[in-house]
Amino acid sequence: MMRRLPPAEATGLRTGARHALAQVYRTSDLVVLGLGVMIGAGIFSIAGQMAATKAGPGVILSFMIAGIACLLACLCYAELSSTMPTSGSAYTFTYVIFGEIWAWIIGWALILELQLAAAVVSRAWAQITVGAIGNFGVRVPRPEVVENVLVLVILVLLTGVVAAGARIGLRALWVMVTAKLLAIGAVIVVGATYVDVANFGDFHAEPQPVTTPTATVLDLFVGQGQTFGWSGVFAAAPVIAFAYIGFDIVATAAEETVNPRTVVPKGMIRSLVVATVIYIAVAAVMVGMVPYTSIAVEAPLASAFQAVGAGWMTHVIDVGAVLGLTTVILVLLVGQTRVLFSMARDGLIPRRLAVISRAYHTPSRVTLVIGAVAIVLAEFVPVLTMQELVVMGTLFAFMFVAAGVIVMRRRMPELERGFRVPLSPLLPILSLVATFWLMVNLQVHTWAWFALWMAFGVLVYLGYGRRRSLLADPGRAAAATPGRGRHRR
């Protein structure tokens, strides 16, 4: 419970493996990395869905509220990343600040977030790709079989890209994100020409009683609220905040970043700000094109363009959605690889997974394991019903990071920081409150499944990680230093 990783070891060459991760990222690369994971197919649907079912034209305000909540968490990540630029992200931050057992718990939550997210997004990518092929007039026989094949193809391909090296993955990411942003730009520009300002009203829709039970944790304490009106605006914000989640993965690239103490905070914050502006722009176009009462929930943006006589934009949306989810999968695999790599070199999971490939200078072994697990989950588990678990794991880590800023300021004020959260501890406390608010808006059964996953994780730690940790045996830790042993490469 009390074992803590010394800050110097968190970023030093403690295992001999850290130096093998080539530094390839600069500020613009990290912005692209963040946009690659934050902007997916949801940008074409979430605004319309929330406008039609919860917030009306006030959904634009919902995007602003959600953006502020995520920015608070992002600032906390930025400070800790600038202090401990390590690929372990929240896992390593927690190891240094709170101790090993809590680090394991956060690492276990990140495994749930990233591994399950890769499977969920891969399955969604396959469905959207099949739909896009159909929209181009090509008949797809046995679409369920085709989807399964596509899931396998995309995960094998992107796992190979990640295993082959950060530079190759970065080049591919730049191309796909650029193409994705061009498609989104076309949606905004063309859609703006069809905007009718009367559809915005006063950004307020008349409140209505909830007709469909949601069974969130918040509902258990305050009862079900209303849709639309201000209640709807605030109810839509937690759902929208889930679209912004992903900026935290930028922190996992810290060890591979040039001058990470200043570059990582810049890349993280800038990518979130850009993503927020893009989401708000798409939301404004969506709400302005058609009245919120006429939005088709299944395909809101595509149906809006069809309603105004620009049905050809459906193909642009399809291309943007496919590219959007492709980059999300790629960045998720990168993030999961770096987190597990950090846990393995600390001894909490098998250290063989921390081996660096001599040919590619990447943790290719753990990358292949992650890809294989993602394939199994996406092919044989109904992962699309588990999306909220991804969010739960992410928000759980957010809380520890916000608390970590407060605790580290008191315990370790002497540590070098490339970025400081302004108005601390006020903003970290607000981040804790905002994150908890998002969590209580998740469904009760999501909390139950998350509790079971974490309980299983504690058993794994007690049975394996507690005894295998490098901090549990100073002799093993000394043997893991650079220049000692063949395992360092």
Side-chain angles (χ1 to χ4, degrees):
M1 292 279 292
M2 302 304 296
R3 289 199 299 247
R4 293 195 187 98
L5 184 66
E9 293 191 17
T11 55
L13 304 181
R14 177 167 52 92
T15 64
R18 295 182 190 274
H19 72 284
L21 292 174
Q23 293 185 331
V24 298
Y25 296 110
R26 300 184 183 276
T27 304
S28 58
D29 299 322
L30 294 183
V31 172
V32 169
L33 195 72
L35 295 178
V37 70
M38 280 187 280
I39 299 180
I43 194 169
F44 302 115
S45 59
I46 192 169
Q49 291 169 353
M50 291 299 99
T53 60
K54 291 183 181 293
V59 72
I60 297 174
L61 303 178
S62 301
F63 272 94
M64 295 179 182
I65 294 170
I68 292 171
C70 289
L71 180 60
L72 292 173
C74 185
L75 293 175
C76 295
Y77 264 91
E79 175 163 332
L80 296 190
S81 296
S82 73
T83 310
M84 293 173 277
T86 169
S87 62
S89 184
Y91 153 76
T92 304
F93 305 157
T94 306
Y95 210 161
V96 172
I97 299 169
F98 296 108
E100 185 173 281
I101 179 62
W102 301 111
W104 170 267
I105 288 173
I106 291 300
W108 196 249
L110 292 177
I111 290 173
L112 176 69
E113 171 201 350
L114 299 173
Q115 190 71 70
L116 187 57
V120 169
V121 178
S122 299
R123 175 55 64 178
W125 178 90
Q127 290 185 354
I128 290 175
T129 301
V130 169
I133 293 172
N135 289 337
F136 277 99
V138 179
R139 180 179 174 273
V140 180
R142 303 183 66 184
E144 295 83 4
V145 176
V146 174
E147 285 180 14
N148 290 334
V149 173
L150 288 175
V151 166
L152 179 63
V153 169
I154 192 64
L155 283 174
V156 168
L157 177 62
L158 294 184
T159 299
V161 169
V162 175
R167 294 185 189 278
I168 295 176
L170 182 59
R171 294 189 191 109
L173 191 64
W174 264 98
V175 172
M176 289 187 288
V177 169
T178 300
K180 174 174 64 176
L181 292 179
L182 288 174
I184 295 171
V187 167
I188 294 172
V189 172
V190 175
T193 63
Y194 295 98
V195 167
D196 181 356
V197 293
N199 291 328
F200 294 119
D202 56 359
F203 296 101
H204 185 272
E206 288 301 317
Q208 299 177 14
V210 174
T211 57
T212 304
T214 56
T216 68
V217 172
L218 186 62
D219 293 336
L220 295 180
F221 294 95
V222 302
Q224 292 186 355
Q226 297 175 319
T227 56
F228 303 106
W230 280 107
S231 296
V233 169
F234 281 99
V239 181
I240 290 169
F242 303 156
Y244 294 136
I245 287 175
F247 62 83
D248 54 310
I249 299 179
V250 175
T252 66
E255 285 187 32
E256 297 159 274
T257 300
V258 178
N259 192 18
R261 294 189 187 277
T262 56
V263 170
V264 172
K266 288 179 182 178
M268 196 180 306
I269 295 171
R270 289 177 186 179
S271 64
L272 177 59
V273 171
V274 172
T276 302
V277 171
I278 292 174
Y279 269 108
I280 292 175
V282 173
V285 168
M286 173 74 258
V287 175
M289 288 175 66
V290 295
Y292 76 93
T293 53
S294 302
I295 294 175
V297 177
E298 295 77 16
L301 198 54
S303 63
F305 276 109
Q306 291 171 352
V308 298
W312 58 274
M313 282 296 295
T314 300
H315 301 311
V316 177
I317 294 171
D318 286 339
V319 172
V322 172
L323 288 173
L325 289 186
T326 303
T327 61
V328 172
I329 300 169
L330 179 61
V331 179
L332 286 171
L333 291 174
V334 171
Q336 174 71 317
T337 298
R338 273 50 183 176
V339 171
L340 281 185
F341 171 68
S342 295
M343 296 177 72
R345 68 186 176 187
D346 291 334
L348 298 185
I349 60 176
R351 281 184 53 78
R352 292 187 299 274
L353 296 178
V355 171
I356 297 293
S357 167
R358 291 183 180 274
Y360 303 112
H361 301 289
T362 63
S364 54
R365 183 176 296 179
V366 72
T367 302
L368 297 178
V369 170
I370 289 168
V373 173
I375 290 171
V376 172
L377 289 174
E379 295 284 14
F380 302 107
V381 177
V383 290
L384 292 180
T385 64
M386 303 178 182
Q387 297 182 53
E388 278 202 357
L389 275 173
V390 174
V391 177
M392 187 70 177
T394 307
L395 296 178
F396 190 69
F398 281 10
M399 293 193 70
F400 271 78
V401 169
V405 171
I406 300 172
V407 174
M408 193 174 69
R409 287 279 187 100
R410 295 194 175 193
R411 286 183 181 169
M412 310 170 195
E414 75 285 354
L415 292 182
E416 178 186 355
R417 291 165 171 82
F419 175 86
R420 286 178 175 268
V421 178
L423 302 178
S424 181
L426 175 60
L427 292 190
I429 291 174
L430 290 177
S431 179
L432 278 169
V433 173
T435 301
F436 183 72
W437 174 62
L438 295 175
M439 292 176 72
V440 298
N441 277 275
L442 297 176
Q443 296 184 24
V444 174
H445 69 80
T446 299
W447 281 71
W449 281 111
F450 182 74
L452 288 174
W453 171 256
M454 299 310 293
F456 176 61
V458 171
L459 294 177
V460 173
Y461 171 76
L462 294 176
Y464 183 90
R466 180 175 62 90
R467 294 178 293 105
R468 298 280 184 167
S469 167
L470 287 183
L471 294 188
D473 185 349
R476 291 178 64 230
T481 55
R484 298 279 299 277
R486 296 176 59 189
H487 67 272
R488 76 179 193 273
R489 291 283 293 186

